[in-house]
Amino acid sequence: VSDERTTVSAIAPITTFHIVNCKRSDTGDIVIKLVNESGSDKGGFYFNILDVPGPPTGPIEFEDIDSNSVTISWRPPKDNGGSEITGYVIEKKDLDHAGGWVPAVNYV
């Protein structure tokens, strides 16, 4: 165990690997080495911490602007949260409804 947030406990026949306050930076390969009087062996697994994605990266560009539409383009976030980006929500400020934010399109 390599830091104070990680514990391994064994209560036969179950061994538990526990990380407190997981962060995306904890994602990676985990290798477990088992040792007894007969020898040793090791196994591993990939530990993927999921979280919300980061913001889109810039530059955010606005093109073809007219009174009815605009084309907006951007790059994906640097960190996708550990899972594929499946869509974006584009909102607009709606002055007709107390200035709240409302969806500008149904799906992007």
Side-chain angles (χ1 to χ4, degrees):
V1 178
S2 63
D3 88 28
E4 63 280 352
R5 296 181 304 113
T6 306
T7 60
V8 177
S9 60
I11 301 173
I14 298 170
T15 300
T16 303
F17 174 77
H18 184 81
I19 298 179
V20 177
N21 299 321
C22 287
K23 301 179 276 190
R24 284 280 300 137
S25 60
D26 293 323
T27 294
D29 290 312
I30 304 293
V31 175
I32 298 174
K33 183 176 181 181
L34 307 166
V35 180
N36 67 17
E37 62 276 353
S38 299
S40 66
D41 200 358
K42 63 182 175 180
F45 59 92
Y46 185 74
F47 193 64
N48 188 20
I49 305 298
L50 301 178
D51 199 355
V52 298
T57 56
I60 297 175
E61 297 179 1
F62 301 89
E63 301 172 315
D64 304 324
I65 301 170
D66 64 35
S67 62
N68 295 310
S69 67
V70 61
T71 299
I72 306 170
S73 59
W74 61 86
R75 293 188 185 123
K78 291 180 182 176
D79 182 357
N80 67 4
S83 183
E84 179 183 343
I85 301 293
T86 58
Y88 293 90
V89 175
I90 308 295
E91 295 180 322
K92 64 179 180 176
K93 192 153 189 157
D94 189 346
L95 300 179
D96 294 333
H97 295 95
W101 290 94
V102 296
V105 293
N106 290 331
Y107 184 78
V108 176

